[in-house]
Amino acid sequence: MILGYARVSTDAQDLTSQLAQLKAAGCERVFREKISGATADRPQLQKLLTTVGHGDVVIIPAVDRLSRDTTDLLVIAREGIVTRRWACGLTRGRITERMKKISYNGYRFPPEIIHQAIWLYLRFTLSLRDVEDLLAERGMAVSYETVRRWVNHFGPMIAADLRKRRLKPHTTWHLDEVYLKIDGRMVYLWRAVDAEGEVLDVLVQSKRNKHAALKLMRKLLRTYAFVPERLVTDDLRSYSAAVRVLGIERRHERGRWKNNRVENSHQPTRRRERKMQRFKSPGSAQKFLSTHAAVYNTFKVQRHLTSAQTHRTLRAAAMDTWRTAVAAA
């Protein structure tokens, strides 16, 4: 059982308003239980969770590492998984929290130039020097090292904002792993995509065993707060061992040719790896690939499946999402 905690206001009026927002966002019903802080131990919590059903919201005092002066709200999702309150809605964005805008104070160049440099580097298969030349052609003298610093500093913040704006993923997940050679040694890039090719998560690990597969699956369940209807992998035995630990082996499907969706999703990573002349460290690879995946999901509009007019509409919507995410404070 996975426990996710989210703090809410202890004020009665604010709490009523938040519960109304939760119901409007798709939670089925609210289940409230008063438990004293002195007796709110794990056995009592486990007993409480057996009395509620899918979609129920439980209000209990904070336990373990959380302060007992606050109130925690847990949402009981299907398959006995407890997740954060913002997972009730159709989107992954928090209901009661506004997305924070990025501050560009202290930088010599205006935000528009920073946005353009980051967008060029993450959207297209370009090197840092390619971006420098493109900006120079437009009369902006920016060094490639400055572009690198902008991407490393603002990229993760922009990616986090883009991820919050994505819709709930498809209920079929595809998992796969591929090797990366970093600093003369082999590491593995674990990737998960849904049935529509959207990258759910990437994880760079040094092993290709049960523990590594379990780490990726637990991260996915904790992030998206629901169990997929189908979990498709190749014939690697590490996946079977991991799903048995999670108790979802009935949803697991294995097959070499069933996993082409995630196999094809490795291609953008390989192109960037060649352009960057390989990654320099596992940490930098993890940071870049996580940021790149969020931007890739935003601008991947499946052009071959739509008409030209629909494609232009989707592309314009993707650009509007990008401009909103990079907006200055």
Side-chain angles (χ1 to χ4, degrees):
M1 182 171 291
I2 303 173
L3 298 183
Y5 297 95
R7 296 186 177 182
V8 297
S9 174
T10 55
D11 183 78
Q13 184 176 359
D14 292 342
L15 184 58
T16 303
S17 175
Q18 291 174 356
L19 293 179
Q21 291 177 350
L22 283 170
K23 289 183 178 180
C27 293
E28 296 178 3
R29 63 191 179 94
V30 175
F31 182 91
R32 195 164 184 177
E33 181 73 12
K34 295 181 179 180
I35 305 177
S36 62
T39 59
D41 52 4
R42 286 189 177 275
Q44 187 177 6
L45 179 60
Q46 296 283 357
K47 182 179 179 180
L48 169 65
L49 297 184
T50 60
T51 63
V52 295
H54 166 55
D56 295 346
V57 179
V58 181
I59 308 293
I60 65 171
V63 295
D64 294 338
R65 293 172 295 177
L66 301 177
S67 171
R68 292 181 178 176
D69 295 330
T70 61
T71 303
D72 289 334
L73 182 147
L74 294 84
V75 179
I76 311 302
R78 74 184 72 149
E79 297 297 331
I81 292 181
V82 184
T83 183
R84 296 176 178 86
R85 67 184 185 276
W86 48 265
C88 279
L90 299 178
T91 64
R92 295 180 52 223
R94 281 179 170 81
I95 299 172
T96 57
E97 296 179 10
R98 296 181 60 185
M99 297 180 184
K100 297 181 180 179
K101 293 186 177 181
I102 301 174
S103 175
Y104 299 92
N105 295 332
Y107 287 85
R108 180 163 61 96
F109 291 92
E112 292 76 14
I113 296 179
I114 299 176
H115 300 166
Q116 183 70 8
I118 298 174
W119 181 73
L120 288 172
Y121 185 69
L122 295 177
R123 176 67 181 88
F124 305 102
T125 309
L126 300 173
S127 67
L128 294 171
R129 287 175 174 81
D130 291 337
V131 177
E132 178 184 0
D133 292 340
L134 289 173
L135 294 177
E137 189 273 335
R138 299 191 176 190
M140 295 173 282
V142 181
S143 69
Y144 70 92
E145 182 63 22
T146 300
V147 176
R148 184 187 69 83
R149 291 174 180 270
W150 287 346
V151 172
N152 288 342
H153 180 72
F154 294 109
M157 291 187 285
I158 296 173
D161 195 295
L162 291 175
R163 280 191 288 267
K164 292 177 183 178
R165 299 175 187 274
R166 299 302 295 173
L167 297 176
K168 186 177 181 180
H170 197 276
T171 56
T172 298
W173 295 355
H174 298 260
L175 276 62
D176 191 43
E177 78 291 335
V178 66
Y179 74 88
L180 296 175
K181 192 171 184 180
I182 300 178
D183 197 20
R185 62 191 183 92
M186 303 294 292
V187 298
Y188 295 93
L189 172 64
W190 296 75
R191 182 187 300 271
V193 304
D194 67 1
E196 298 177 350
E198 179 161 335
V199 180
L200 302 177
D201 210 339
V202 292
L203 198 60
V204 178
Q205 303 187 83
S206 60
K207 300 295 183 180
R208 190 168 173 251
N209 53 15
K210 166 188 167 182
H211 176 74
L214 194 59
K215 184 176 181 180
L216 174 64
M217 293 181 186
R218 282 175 171 165
K219 185 179 181 182
L220 290 170
L221 294 174
R222 185 169 57 249
T223 302
Y224 293 97
F226 72 92
V227 178
E229 295 180 0
R230 295 172 60 222
L231 187 66
V232 184
T233 68
D234 55 21
D235 293 325
L236 183 66
R237 295 182 179 180
S238 300
Y239 292 114
S240 299
V243 296
R244 281 195 298 269
V245 173
L246 296 175
I248 55 175
E249 59 270 15
R250 292 177 299 175
R251 302 171 183 264
H252 184 211
E253 297 183 14
R254 299 172 58 185
R256 183 178 181 182
W257 310 114
K258 293 181 178 180
N259 223 23
N260 287 342
R261 176 70 69 182
V262 67
E263 295 285 355
N264 293 334
S265 70
H266 293 306
Q267 295 178 3
T269 299
R270 290 303 191 190
R271 289 195 292 266
R272 295 309 301 251
E273 185 185 21
R274 288 193 296 269
K275 192 66 176 180
M276 299 170 67
Q277 300 180 6
R278 293 183 177 175
F279 300 107
K280 303 304 184 289
S281 68
S284 64
Q286 177 69 55
K287 186 176 183 179
F288 171 79
L289 292 174
S290 298
T291 304
H292 178 266
V295 178
Y296 176 81
N297 290 338
T298 302
F299 290 95
K300 183 178 181 297
V301 294
Q302 296 183 349
R303 184 171 187 168
H304 63 290
L305 298 176
T306 59
S307 64
Q309 184 177 1
T310 303
H311 170 69
R312 296 188 190 101
T313 302
L314 295 175
R315 184 173 58 189
M319 285 304 304
D320 290 340
T321 302
W322 169 265
R323 295 190 186 100
T324 305
V326 301

